[in-house]
Amino acid sequence: MAVIEKVTKQTQNRFLNMYELDTIRKNGNRGKYFVSSRAEKVDDLKLKTHVNKPDGVIIYAVTEDNSKVLLVRQYRYPIDAYVYELPAGLVDEGEDFRTAAIREVHEETGMTLHPIEADPMFEAPRFTTVGMTDESCALVFGYVTGEPTAKYLEESEEIIQVLADREEVRRILREENVACQCAYHIVRFMQEEDSFAYVRKG
């Protein structure tokens, strides 16, 4: 197994930083590896703590009649384009991830999230793009009520709120940019009458 000899922080940003790793590969050769992270200090990196604490939360939510799924169509700088995503955001220090989910849904869409009691194995934090970052996100499932609005967005956010029925989901998957986590869940949404049958406790 590879060995990490040294970790050097390269940037000083609020939400995301780059770290340089001096490594010894499995064949004994030395090399460099670069990791982006939400961590503010080297000691907080998951490669140091080995604790998978969620940095963020992703929300899979449908309307109460299960006819529409809540999506956001968001402009993203890395692709200079809009992409369909599930609502998501960072978990604040000391904040429970379900509380973060309720807050993020309201901030991004104006709607109210009512989380369901899901089996913990489905909510557990999972790594997003582990080849380049140690970021992990918990997943929250639930129903949404209210009307979508953009009035709670931050100035830096370009988000269009979308309640998509199954026909629109099919069009989105066929024609639009879609984030991986979002694609997985809306494929299930197209196929299943009860969006949460597989995640409920018991």
Side-chain angles (χ1 to χ4, degrees):
M1 192 170 83
V3 175
I4 300 168
E5 284 194 308
K6 181 182 178 184
V7 181
T8 306
K9 187 177 183 183
Q10 292 194 312
T11 61
Q12 186 63 46
N13 298 310
R14 182 178 175 193
F15 295 115
L16 187 67
N17 285 289
M18 184 68 71
Y19 294 84
E20 180 183 72
L21 279 52
D22 291 303
T23 69
I24 302 176
R25 298 172 181 149
K26 63 180 182 180
N27 62 4
N29 292 335
R30 282 183 157 73
K32 299 281 189 181
Y33 199 92
F34 297 89
V35 175
S36 61
S37 178
R38 303 289 186 184
E40 294 183 9
K41 305 189 300 281
V42 168
D43 287 344
D44 293 334
L45 289 166
K46 291 183 176 74
L47 63 86
K48 291 287 191 178
T49 67
H50 296 282
V51 174
N52 188 10
K53 178 182 174 185
D55 303 286
V57 63
I58 300 172
I59 303 100
Y60 176 47
V62 298
T63 53
E64 290 180 298
D65 64 359
N66 206 54
S67 67
K68 295 180 180 178
V69 61
L70 179 63
L71 306 175
V72 292
R73 183 173 180 262
Q74 184 162 193
Y75 174 81
R76 292 296 196 180
Y77 287 110
I79 60 172
D80 188 27
Y82 281 88
V83 60
Y84 282 84
E85 304 174 43
L86 298 176
L90 296 179
V91 177
D92 291 339
E93 187 64 35
E95 184 179 35
D96 174 79
F97 70 87
R98 290 181 195 86
T99 302
I102 293 168
R103 173 179 54 76
E104 286 292 345
V105 166
H106 186 260
E107 289 174 0
E108 291 191 354
T109 73
M111 301 190 77
T112 300
L113 174 69
H114 308 274
I116 67 164
E117 286 293 321
D119 188 313
M121 77 173 178
F122 292 106
E123 295 181 317
R126 307 294 181 186
F127 295 105
T128 54
T129 312
V130 76
M132 59 181 278
T133 179
D134 67 352
E135 180 189 64
S136 68
C137 291
L139 190 61
V140 172
F141 304 83
Y143 296 98
V144 283
T145 56
E147 294 297 322
T149 178
K151 72 179 184 178
Y152 301 107
L153 293 177
E154 295 179 9
E155 185 270 337
S156 62
E157 294 176 314
E158 290 187 43
I159 295 176
I160 299 165
Q161 298 73 30
V162 178
L163 285 171
D165 62 18
R166 287 168 175 81
E167 182 178 345
E168 177 63 2
V169 162
R170 186 174 297 277
R171 184 201 69 78
I172 289 168
L173 287 167
R174 187 173 53 245
E175 300 176 7
E176 304 285 354
N177 296 319
V178 184
C180 184
Q181 180 78 254
C182 177
Y184 170 78
H185 286 286
I186 63 177
V187 164
R188 292 199 72 128
F189 173 75
M190 280 197 314
Q191 304 298 323
E192 298 172 356
E193 290 185 13
D194 181 352
S195 296
F196 305 130
Y198 69 104
V199 301
R200 294 182 195 278
K201 285 185 175 180

